[in-house]
Amino acid sequence: MATAAVVGITTGVMKPLLSKLTKLLEEEYVKLKGVRKQIKFLRDELSAMSPTLERLADAEELNPQMTAWRDKLRELAYDLEDCIDAFMVRVDHEHDGHSGFIKRFFRKLKKLKSRHEIDNQIQELKASVIEASMRHKRYQLVDISSNSRSTCSVDPRLSALYVEIDKLVGIDGPKKYIIEWLTKETKKAASSELKVLSIVGCGGLGKTTLANQVYKDVKSQFSCAAFVSVSRTPDIRKVLRGIAKGVGITSNMLDDDEKELIDKLREHLQDKRYLIVIDDVWDAKPWETIKLALMNNNCGSRVITTTRSNDVASYLSSQGGNVYQMKSLSFEDSKRLLFKRAFGSENLCHSHLGTAPDEILRKCDGLPLAIITISSMLADQHAKGEWDSVLNDIGSSLAKNPGAENMTAILSMSYLDIPHHLRSCLLYLSVYPEDYLIEKQCLINRWIAEGFVHEQKGQSKYETGEGYFNDLINRSMIQPVNVIYGQAKACRVHDIILDYIKCKAAEQNFVTSLDAVEPVCTSEYKVRRLCVIYYNEENVTLWADEILSQVRSVTIFGQPVKFTLPSTALRVLELGDCRGMEDHHIASIGKLFNLKYLRLCSHFITRLPENVGELQHLQTLDVRGTEIEELPRTIKKLQQLAHLYVESDVRFPNGIIGQILSLEELRQYGVVSYEQGQSLQQFSKLTKLRTLKIKWSFELPDGSEGRSQAEGIHNYVGNLLFSCNLHNLIYTVERGFDVKYPLALHSWHPAASCSIRKLCFGRIPIYRVPNWMGSLVNLSVLKLAVICVRPEDVEILGEIPSLLFLNLESVGGTGGRIVFPGNSGFRSLKYFSLLIHECGTSLEFEAGSMPKLEHVKLDFNAHEMECLNGASSLGIQHLSSLNKVEIIIWSDCRQYDVDYNPVEDDHDDTARCISRAINAAIETLANRPTASFRRKHSYGYCKHFESVLREWNQDHEGLFNEWLKLWQIREEQANQTTDGETELEDETHEKEEEEQTGEKEVAHQEDSGSSN
């Protein structure tokens, strides 16, 4: 097809351009004489150059001739896309919406000056395309591979195999862990089977060094051993020959094909206990061939692999193996390594260098490759100025330093391994400053606005972009932050990787970064994406120049900067970190006709201008953090608006919400009155809506009127489950407000085809788990607060086939027990969190329960043994797939211990006994899960959950009479009359506040992202 993928940075504009040209050929606009022919010519010529661009994109080094051709073609593609967009804007703004428009318009168009302007532009661009095409045909005669030499003739990873042991720092702990795992597995009854341990982490973290040290220490314990590297473009025959040579096969193998090599290895290894290290595995395909030679001979053989991909690591070790996540060096180890490499001793005093060493190390963030590279550049350099110079280079130009060639080569390997469609997405991160927390939702919507994300069948563009984001995490190119329900809400870029991509982005005229103090650009090309970082208080005017005439993306950090923006080219305006913006700054926003993404976040902005309705192409509008109280009525004109982010107190004009027909995501819709709650019915008109967050923010009246209003709003929310095609529904209550009346989910009736994937109820309890919930086949994330958990509730939850993440809260369990039975239910569950607010309930996981559970978090009271109804270890030992355990215990201890160690605790109390029992159970698990214990002081006295519920019922005038019977709670009154409702709420709020103290900073991120 003509729109076949064109790659590299040029793809960032070329692929959208080809798509637009193809689409334009289908429109009425180009049926004018000559226009269609010219557009078809442009498309076909540009498409013909795609294969050459594909090869150039994967070349590590190009000759100047090819570089110049590639750069001119990139700029030509930008200009062409801008020309097309300008043409479309003029057409759209002449559209008066009346019948017969097309014929009338085309009669007028011939007389318009704009027609001649467009014609002239197309003719000029056509001439440029012809020139580029002629050069392309000449270059086709040149073998690109011969002109694209690697920047490093020697494998940059080779030095890791020969590093002297006395120069290694911070490796003892990881090496001990892996050797202990190998030893422990050997002693187990089932250890005779072949097992794979995968070491995973980003490039430069020391995976090869660690694997090599383990290999040297343990290879003598095996009959034979081999160490081979696979690399990004593996020669499988060479790899197999390397294994064969290592394990002792001496026959001539140069002419053997893959099958012959596999047969020789299988015959040789059939009765041997072997150890094979396979270094630098980039994808699973080579492993599929290599593993054929590594037969499972039940002799206790082991394989160690290293990889930069989390997915590859999980796949290689999926058959009972293990994944070791490589960690960065600690600050102290980093400091030792820096001084040992720079000065030969880690103990020397270097106070004259000031803070430079510490600042350098913070930027290196524990990455050994970066520390070693910088220490080699500073070897025997005692002058403070030299250290300051290197410090200033990190984050912007270190990759250009000749002393950093080896590091750059290793990072280039990771970059070139990224699929072509992801490279523009990665380089786009260069618009952010160092150490910046990048919100996933904002980033993906910006990618979409820039044209980097292309919708795939069965997925929205956002879902596709989310796949891109996760792929970059998986490849260790970005660091996940605020992981909730298995999904990162944000990310950071390591300073060293950011330095690399900033250099790459500048080289390709992808992003222009400026400090507004010196607004100078020396590029020979027009600025396409502009990033301004300016935190001073003085007003600065950015230059008005032709070089800015076609800027398509502007990001400003700090204070507002005065500059003139074009009216047609700008697509992205990111002012989320420009906190000094005021209303007058955005008064003319409606002139930015091509704007697709707008983000504002200033307390000085109090209103959106009416002309915002002129932004016909706007896809994302984010005004969180502003003081906007009501959206203008003209927002209904934004018929391409897909993502809308507002604070919960922002009002929508009556009847407007149901008219924004392209809306896919709304976070958040505040219910500030019963009347506004009734407007929830309008959402049934939004057939594209996939994500909705609703926040209750008002006090109910007392008595039957309050109960009627609560039930009415609850039912409006319930209707959304079968009147909309929602994927994600979050229904929560603003802190400081109390709904008072639980949700009656059993009265809801979702459609059989309900497509809900994520369902979260925050601070709104339910009476019981409804039967229909077990039939939600697409549901993967569920957050519930069940007042009293019954065995039937557990059974229904266990029936949800795709449930991966379950967050459950409760006052207690029927009969004082919550049991998760073995061999039934929860077959897919990976994460489980349980918070039991009151005392008197035992918790037990039976053998075979939750077979795929990887992470469990338990939060409960333990003043006395009776608080857990006699339970101790909780059956943790039966959760065979666990790799992480979090335990939070509330007791009479008045000291908070966020890193509690039950083994070292010498207090003789219930919390310690239970913690030790749980810890002992954890230590029996094969995966050696990490365990964290926290002790917290429980304000208020120990009280049985049944007493609390009886008192709560009394305060609600018998609201729970029938439910108490269902929950099997005795009817006798409590001995002491207290405000049960207040106690329950206070206790609940205390625990919620304690749990969320560390989460307040990421609350904004939890509101981000469509599907998580």
Side-chain angles (χ1 to χ4, degrees):
M1 186 178 175
T3 56
V6 185
V7 293
I9 300 311
T10 311
T11 302
V13 63
M14 187 67 79
K15 188 169 183 178
L17 170 60
L18 292 175
S19 297
K20 285 183 178 181
L21 288 170
T22 300
K23 185 177 180 181
L24 202 57
L25 288 172
E26 302 168 356
E27 300 291 340
E28 291 286 334
Y29 312 134
V30 296
K31 291 188 177 178
L32 292 172
K33 184 179 179 180
V35 177
R36 180 180 181 83
K37 183 178 180 180
Q38 291 183 36
I39 291 176
K40 186 176 187 302
F41 172 84
L42 293 173
R43 186 196 67 176
D44 293 346
E45 284 295 307
L46 292 169
S47 299
M49 291 181 262
S50 298
T52 305
L53 284 170
E54 289 187 16
R55 287 184 285 168
L56 291 179
D58 288 328
E60 294 183 36
E61 185 177 332
L62 298 174
N63 64 36
Q65 210 176 25
M66 288 186 175
T67 301
W69 177 77
R70 179 201 61 191
D71 292 348
K72 288 185 181 296
L73 184 60
R74 177 194 65 231
E75 298 303 311
L76 176 58
Y78 279 128
D79 289 338
L80 266 170
E81 186 179 19
D82 290 341
C83 178
I84 292 169
D85 288 341
F87 173 69
M88 297 299 297
V89 164
R90 290 175 182 178
V91 170
D92 290 340
H93 274 73
E94 290 292 332
H95 198 307
D96 58 9
H98 299 297
S99 61
F101 153 75
I102 293 294
K103 291 181 179 179
R104 291 200 312 276
F105 172 68
F106 283 130
R107 283 197 299 268
K108 294 178 182 178
L109 185 61
K110 294 181 180 180
K111 300 178 182 179
L112 292 176
K113 181 181 178 181
S114 61
R115 161 73 191 277
H116 299 293
E117 292 175 354
I118 296 293
D119 280 347
N120 290 337
Q121 275 189 280
I122 290 178
Q123 289 294 343
E124 291 175 8
L125 292 168
K126 179 179 177 181
S128 298
V129 170
I130 291 172
E131 181 185 354
S133 180
M134 292 175 64
R135 290 185 180 183
H136 164 248
K137 290 172 183 176
R138 291 199 301 269
Y139 296 159
Q140 285 287 75
L141 302 176
V142 181
D143 182 5
I144 291 177
S145 62
S146 66
N147 291 275
S148 310
R149 301 180 187 90
S150 170
T151 57
C152 185
S153 58
V154 179
D155 189 337
R157 300 157 298 181
L158 197 60
S159 59
L161 299 178
Y162 299 100
V163 64
E164 297 174 17
I165 190 67
D166 62 339
K167 290 187 177 181
L168 296 176
V169 171
I171 201 171
D172 292 342
K175 183 170 76 170
K176 180 181 178 184
Y177 176 92
I178 292 175
I179 291 176
E180 283 183 356
W181 183 85
L182 292 170
T183 305
K184 185 175 181 180
E185 286 295 303
T186 302
K187 294 177 180 178
K188 288 169 56 179
S191 66
S192 58
E193 294 185 359
L194 176 65
K195 296 287 178 66
V196 179
L197 180 138
S198 294
I199 304 172
V200 63
C202 68
L205 204 51
K207 302 181 297 296
T208 299
T209 301
L210 173 60
N212 189 44
Q213 292 302 311
V214 171
Y215 175 74
K216 288 179 177 179
D217 275 21
V218 303
K219 66 179 181 179
S220 61
Q221 302 174 24
F222 294 82
S223 304
C224 55
F227 191 115
V228 293
S229 291
V230 174
S231 80
R232 191 168 65 89
T233 54
D235 180 341
I236 297 299
R237 289 177 61 212
K238 183 178 179 181
V239 172
L240 292 173
R241 286 198 299 269
I243 296 174
K245 184 177 179 180
V247 298
I249 298 177
T250 57
S251 61
N252 187 359
M253 297 172 285
L254 282 177
D255 297 326
D256 289 351
D257 60 22
E258 291 178 3
K259 183 180 183 304
E260 290 170 329
L261 289 167
I262 290 170
D263 288 342
K264 285 183 178 180
L265 277 166
R266 291 179 66 88
E267 181 180 358
H268 183 79
L269 297 174
Q270 62 181 336
D271 57 355
K272 292 180 174 62
R273 181 171 180 261
Y274 57 85
L275 171 67
I276 309 293
V277 177
I278 304 175
D279 184 42
D280 206 27
V281 182
W282 289 81
D283 62 57
K285 288 182 181 178
W287 171 251
E288 291 299 314
T289 302
I290 295 170
K291 73 177 183 180
L292 297 176
L294 306 179
M295 64 184 306
N296 185 4
N297 55 14
N298 292 319
C299 293
S301 299
R302 298 291 178 261
V303 175
I304 299 174
T305 67
T306 72
T307 179
R308 306 182 189 199
S309 167
N310 288 286
D311 284 349
V312 171
S314 298
Y315 179 78
L316 299 185
S317 57
S318 58
Q319 303 298 318
N322 193 11
V323 175
Y324 180 76
Q325 192 77 42
M326 193 83 177
K327 295 180 177 60
S328 303
L329 292 177
S330 68
F331 188 81
E332 287 304 314
D333 281 340
S334 297
K335 201 166 189 175
R336 288 171 54 213
L337 179 61
L338 177 66
F339 288 138
K340 180 181 283 190
R341 293 294 185 116
F343 300 125
S345 172
E346 60 190 60
N347 300 315
L348 295 178
C349 178
H350 306 285
S351 57
H352 70 285
L353 297 176
T355 61
D358 285 0
E359 292 182 46
I360 286 173
L361 291 174
R362 288 189 183 94
K363 288 178 178 288
C364 291
D365 196 26
L367 188 69
L369 174 65
I371 298 169
I372 292 169
T373 299
I374 290 171
S375 64
S376 66
M377 295 165 61
L378 292 169
D380 297 320
Q381 295 288 342
H382 293 270
K384 185 176 184 297
E386 293 291 336
W387 286 71
D388 289 339
S389 176
V390 170
L391 172 62
N392 292 331
D393 282 347
I394 300 175
S396 59
S397 59
L398 182 66
K400 297 178 182 178
N401 192 305
E405 284 183 357
N406 191 62
M407 181 183 74
T408 302
I410 288 176
L411 295 177
S412 291
M413 293 172 67
S414 290
Y415 176 76
L416 292 173
D417 186 62
I418 295 175
H420 296 128
H421 66 274
L422 275 184
R423 294 185 191 176
S424 295
C425 295
L426 177 65
L427 290 199
Y428 198 71
L429 298 173
S430 63
V431 303
Y432 297 101
E434 295 175 29
D435 302 319
Y436 189 83
L437 185 69
I438 305 169
E439 295 179 32
K440 177 178 73 172
Q441 159 257 307
C442 295
L443 178 62
I444 293 173
N445 285 329
R446 291 185 66 171
W447 284 345
I448 293 170
E450 292 277 3
F452 301 155
V453 179
H454 303 279
E455 195 166 343
Q456 297 179 1
K457 188 176 181 180
Q459 285 189 322
S460 67
K461 282 189 177 181
Y462 189 94
E463 289 170 335
T464 302
E466 199 166 31
Y468 292 1
F469 182 87
N470 291 335
D471 200 353
L472 289 174
I473 290 176
N474 174 54
R475 294 171 181 274
S476 304
M477 297 304 293
I478 59 178
Q479 302 167 341
V481 181
N482 305 334
V483 178
I484 301 173
Y485 301 128
Q487 292 289 330
K489 298 299 178 182
C491 72
R492 280 195 175 92
V493 185
H494 193 288
D495 282 357
I496 301 302
I497 295 177
L498 181 63
D499 180 285
Y500 175 84
I501 64 176
K502 276 184 178 290
C503 291
K504 204 81 174 172
E507 172 191 319
Q508 299 284 353
N509 193 34
F510 192 75
V511 172
T512 302
S513 299
L514 293 177
D515 183 335
V517 174
E518 293 185 61
V520 177
C521 181
T522 59
S523 173
E524 61 181 296
Y525 302 115
K526 295 175 183 177
V527 173
R528 304 297 179 174
R529 298 177 185 88
L530 178 65
C531 169
V532 181
I533 303 175
Y534 180 65
Y535 291 103
N536 294 334
E537 294 185 0
E538 310 93 49
N539 285 325
V540 169
T541 301
L542 254 176
W543 77 103
D545 197 305
E546 176 65 19
I547 204 170
L548 264 182
S549 63
Q550 298 301 119
V551 65
R552 53 179 55 200
S553 170
V554 171
T555 305
I556 300 178
F557 298 93
Q559 298 299 319
V561 176
K562 295 179 181 179
F563 58 99
T564 302
L565 291 176
S567 61
T568 58
L570 196 67
R571 293 155 174 78
V572 173
L573 185 55
E574 172 60 80
L575 302 173
D577 282 88
C578 191
R579 303 303 171 93
M581 294 290 295
E582 298 180 17
D583 289 340
H584 67 87
H585 288 113
I586 60 171
S588 301
I589 197 77
K591 293 181 179 180
L592 303 178
F593 303 130
N594 267 317
L595 199 63
K596 296 181 179 181
Y597 176 98
L598 174 61
R599 185 183 179 212
L600 306 169
C601 187
S602 169
H603 291 297
F604 300 109
I605 293 179
T606 61
R607 59 184 295 273
L608 277 178
E610 294 288 328
N611 62 27
V612 74
E614 298 300 314
L615 304 178
Q616 296 295 301
H617 299 283
L618 193 66
Q619 299 168 349
T620 298
L621 176 60
D622 188 345
V623 295
R624 292 172 296 183
T626 66
E627 292 299 315
I628 294 171
E629 296 180 354
E630 184 171 6
L631 298 177
R633 294 194 66 84
T634 53
I635 197 172
K636 67 182 180 182
K637 296 169 64 178
L638 303 179
Q639 290 306 303
Q640 291 193 38
L641 187 64
H643 305 276
L644 178 58
Y645 307 99
V646 297
E647 299 290 358
S648 60
D649 57 353
V650 172
R651 298 189 303 274
F652 288 74
N654 290 336
I656 291 297
I657 192 65
Q659 298 182 48
I660 312 175
L661 299 179
S662 292
L663 201 61
E664 297 176 11
E665 177 182 18
L666 173 56
R667 294 175 183 256
Q668 45 197 341
Y669 189 77
V671 178
V672 297
S673 67
Y674 176 64
E675 290 70 28
Q676 187 155 7
Q678 290 177 305
S679 64
L680 289 169
Q681 298 171 88
Q682 293 185 47
F683 287 107
S684 61
K685 301 176 184 178
L686 305 181
T687 58
K688 295 182 179 181
L689 190 65
R690 296 294 178 267
T691 297
L692 176 62
K693 180 172 182 178
I694 301 168
K695 180 169 281 190
W696 180 305
S697 306
F698 77 101
E699 288 289 353
L700 287 167
D702 294 328
S704 59
E705 182 184 2
R707 179 172 182 177
S708 176
Q709 289 187 9
E711 291 176 351
I713 293 175
H714 290 340
N715 287 333
Y716 293 143
V717 175
N719 290 338
L720 296 177
L721 282 182
F722 57 87
S723 63
C724 295
N725 192 25
L726 282 175
H727 288 175
N728 311 286
L729 176 61
I730 302 100
Y731 183 29
T732 186
V733 177
E734 184 81 61
R735 286 192 172 277
F737 294 96
D738 180 20
V739 174
K740 298 181 182 178
Y741 300 98
L743 275 168
L745 289 188
H746 54 282
S747 66
W748 292 10
H749 302 286
S753 58
C754 181
S755 58
I756 197 75
R757 301 175 185 176
K758 175 180 178 180
L759 187 59
C760 296
F761 299 104
R763 303 187 64 242
I764 306 177
I766 67 172
Y767 293 107
R768 66 177 177 87
V769 178
N771 293 330
W772 52 259
M773 193 166 280
S775 61
L776 298 178
V777 296
N778 298 302
L779 187 65
S780 61
V781 177
L782 178 62
K783 180 178 181 181
L784 284 177
V786 185
I787 296 174
C788 186
V789 176
R790 306 170 303 141
E792 294 87 345
D793 296 326
V794 173
E795 182 179 355
I796 294 168
L797 292 173
E799 291 172 354
I800 304 174
S802 302
L803 190 63
L804 298 176
F805 302 91
L806 175 60
N807 189 317
L808 186 62
E809 294 184 31
S810 183
V811 176
T814 300
R817 299 184 71 205
I818 298 177
V819 179
F820 296 95
N823 303 316
S824 65
F826 302 104
R827 311 315 289 175
S828 302
L829 197 67
K830 290 188 175 182
Y831 172 88
F832 177 55
S833 173
L834 176 62
L835 168 58
I836 303 176
H837 287 287
E838 302 299 335
C839 301
T841 299
S842 68
L843 173 64
E844 183 179 357
F845 298 96
E846 293 186 346
S849 60
M850 301 184 180
K852 295 184 179 179
L853 191 68
E854 298 174 0
H855 182 179
V856 64
K857 180 178 179 180
L858 305 175
D859 190 329
F860 52 84
N861 294 294
H863 309 92
E864 304 291 343
M865 289 302 293
E866 289 76 12
C867 293
L868 282 174
N869 208 7
S872 56
S873 69
L874 315 183
I876 296 287
Q877 69 273 15
H878 297 140
L879 303 176
S880 57
S881 297
L882 278 183
N883 55 42
K884 185 174 183 180
V885 181
E886 292 182 80
I887 304 295
I888 301 171
I889 300 178
W890 297 77
S891 67
D892 295 327
C893 175
R894 292 191 173 273
Q895 290 186 342
Y896 289 82
D897 195 340
V898 296
D899 192 18
Y900 172 65
N901 188 335
V903 177
E904 297 177 356
D905 185 8
D906 56 2
H907 293 88
D908 187 16
D909 62 3
T910 303
R912 188 200 70 164
C913 294
I914 292 173
S915 298
R916 285 191 171 184
I918 293 173
N919 193 59
I922 292 170
E923 290 181 346
T924 66
L925 295 170
N927 286 348
R928 300 185 63 195
T930 60
S932 66
F933 291 83
R934 281 188 283 172
R935 288 190 64 166
K936 295 187 176 181
H937 175 54
S938 178
Y939 299 95
Y941 53 94
C942 175
K943 195 161 191 177
H944 198 281
F945 77 93
E946 292 188 354
S947 298
V948 172
L949 288 178
R950 281 195 294 267
E951 292 166 2
W952 200 9
N953 183 49
Q954 185 178 8
D955 290 329
H956 281 76
E957 299 178 347
L959 176 66
F960 305 129
N961 281 340
E962 295 302 316
W963 292 104
L964 290 177
K965 296 177 183 177
L966 185 70
W967 297 329
Q968 300 178 19
I969 294 177
R970 299 182 300 277
E971 296 182 0
E972 64 262 24
Q973 296 296 313
N975 295 328
Q976 183 177 357
T977 302
T978 61
D979 187 354
E981 177 187 354
T982 302
E983 285 184 3
L984 174 64
E985 291 171 355
D986 287 347
E987 183 80 9
T988 300
H989 291 172
E990 284 168 12
K991 291 189 178 182
E992 285 180 347
E993 288 168 4
E994 288 296 329
E995 283 301 294
Q996 295 181 10
T997 296
E999 297 178 8
K1000 287 181 181 178
E1001 294 181 359
V1002 302
H1004 194 57
Q1005 278 73 45
E1006 189 166 10
D1007 285 346
S1008 304
S1010 289
S1011 60
N1012 304 291

